[in-house]
Amino acid sequence: MAKIDLIVRRARLDGKEVDVFVSRGRIVEVKPSAKSLDTGEARVEEAYGLTLLPSLTDVHVHLREPGFEYKEDVESGLRAAAWGGFGNIMCMANTKPVNDCESVTEMMLEKARKYWPKGPRLFPIGALTKGLKGQELAPMAELAKAGCAAFSNDGVPVESTKIFRLAVEYASDWDRVVIDHCEDPYLGVAAGVNEGEVSSRLGLPGQPDVAEALQVARDVLLSEYLDLPIHLAHISCRKSVDLIRFAKARGVRITAETTPHYLTMTEDVLEAEATEYSTLAKVNPPLRTEDDRLAMIEALNDGTIDCLATDHAPHAGYEKETEFDVAPCGITGLDTALSVTWGLVRDGVLTRETFVRAWTTAPCTVFNLPVNTFAPGDPADFFLFDEDEEWTVTPQALHSKGKNTPLLGSVLKGRVKTHFIAGKKIV
Amino acid sequence: MKWLHKDLLDVSQLSRSEVMAIFETAGRFQELQERPVKKVPTLKGRSVILFFAEPSTRTKTSFDVAGKRLSADTFSLATSSSSLTKGESLKDTALTLQAMAPDAIVIRHWCSGAARFLADRLECSVINAGDGRHAHPTQALLDSFTLHQEWGDLTGKTVLILGDIAHSRVARSNVILLRKLGANVRICGPRTLLPPALNTWPVKVFSDLSEAVKGVDAVMCLRLQLERQKDGLLPDLREYARTFGLGLKHVELANPDVRILHPGPLNRGVEINSELADTANSLILDQVASGVVVRMALLFLYMTRKGEE
């Protein structure tokens, strides 16, 4: 038996008290907690009363470096990830310059190694087209070799279906999945508010749910035709869910993600007296209706939606403290995602199994990332979580540079106490 | 009446009795318009900043006249002279203005919610003179005041709002206020110029103007922004004028003494037949006159609030 170098004692895993044995960064064994134990030379982590969860994987993060370091940089983004329970994060390519060449990918990875050598692990996502312009394919072979785990034009949907098709085909040559930002470019681009009752009364030009669903339909048909996988980013509405369910029933290789905010918030935030026109709730795709929110929960529970992702989109305070039309879209999410979604488990809205699948196994399977299922040989990526600790969402409490969340002022439950990646303590 | 509101962001925040108080106050100021010296010292020493980040002639002039007739000092800040054109944020512009210690700021801005944004950050009263497509409360108040002058009670009257509803803050505020005052509201315009989720608005929707106008007591035409054609929302202005322009034949279908309103400026021959704008049924110039007294009433109420006199 390998030499045990870490033992986590008396942690709560799925309702049972367990001891976790780790050797050389990998899980050796998880077994019911022993009353007494010869721990030898192993480091012992007392976890009594704390919940043990596998590190989460976030396949949709904006780290803003290079180009917009004042909003977030690799160091601060990874800090927010570490404290947020994330062991793997994938960062989007809409930086400046765009991540469409190996030097940008390498720079991101170098920064990650420099500031967070023990993890969380960073997996850059390369641009699908050069400069995200939707006209020429990005050098995906070069990007894949440099370390890009997937390709996406997130933030700028690919307008030409022809180019998009070619991108999906070319990406498959390098065994990478394409992530599509589903938004018909002609229907209410990045309005930040759903087209409907609320936008009508507030006098804001909205983005209709069909702007998303039209692109989902395109991707479903293309994926089936090409027999290649396509991953759909930040799904927000029932119409999209219906299409994805239809696709999956036909065996189409479509996967999808949604975010904590589409599970917990609706467009009504923008009309509430205290938060009317709040730019903190301006996000793309926009917060939708209660019916859409319920559809997201249903779809996550039945597996139509495979993964959760934060779409962590940090912005500087002054950028959001402006007129609604002028403010950028985006909600910061790495710090709050765990508490928010664990709250849904606590409330019985999501099962623990769904939570674990959506944050760990499913995203890792889709993008071929390391995953910890607590089986022998799995990477020892896990964290200890105090389910009952209450905390108030204040700018000071967030590790990300982005403080732009409509949750500011809310009291959430659940805090990460310790986080291990490959058996090494990172926080 | 003790006025408790700090800001006027939209008519939705006013109760019916508060609207009546505004009308009553405006009615008292009307008498002033008849005097040779049209000025009272009521707001002497008070200052109002007219912050118009979007071009405006009549609303701005109306507020300016209203303020000066009450002896307030009015200061104008227009888009071209505003630091917004130099990239200053609305927040910083607002704080700069605040530091000059005005008693009220009248704001017009191209973004929906901009008045609310200022109101949340400023100590002085903020009066919304039009924010994006959202609200134009003073226009709605002067429109209803004009009809109130004609009819007295608006209860049971039917008012048709005609034209580009989707982009109109005038329409949004008028729908709320007219309903609050008991009138029935109809809406008519091409589908491309109607807002989404109209079924949630307390109005009847028509696509045929001849049907819409039948038996109505007033028609409120909205100004058509000519660039809507460039946006692809209309085939051309000729077709719009022929289909949705208010003509003499439509007036015959309405109540015989139908009143015609228009917030101006007019595109004669587009949203309204040119002759019709000048007939006895037209209240277009009455609206302008009402505008001054309603705004005087608002400045008076907001600037002497907290029980001050």
Side-chain angles (χ1 to χ4, degrees), chain B residues 131-156:
Chain B
D131 63 329
R133 307 169 176 191
H134 172 228
H136 198 343
T138 65
Q139 179 71 43
L141 285 164
L142 76 88
D143 289 341
S144 282
F145 178 74
T146 307
L147 292 172
H148 178 75
Q149 295 285 106
E150 292 287 307
W151 298 332
D153 194 359
L154 270 65
T155 307

Side-chain angles (χ1 to χ4, degrees), chain B residues 276-293:
Chain B
L276 204 49
D278 303 325
T279 60
N281 299 65
S282 166
L283 297 178
I284 296 171
L285 294 177
D286 301 70
Q287 288 173 274
V288 179
S290 297
V292 174
V293 292

Side-chain angles (χ1 to χ4, degrees), chain A residues 50-66:
Chain A
L50 298 177
T51 296
L52 177 67
L53 284 168
S55 298
L56 314 184
T57 290
D58 190 347
V59 299
H60 195 139
V61 168
H62 298 271
L63 287 190
R64 308 299 190 201
E65 183 175 11

Side-chain angles (χ1 to χ4, degrees), chain A residues 56 92 112 118 168 249 279 338 352 404 410:
Chain A
L56 314 184
M92 286 294 174
K118 296 175 186 171
V168 172
T279 57
L338 171 61
R352 186 189 178 281
N404 49 302
S410 314

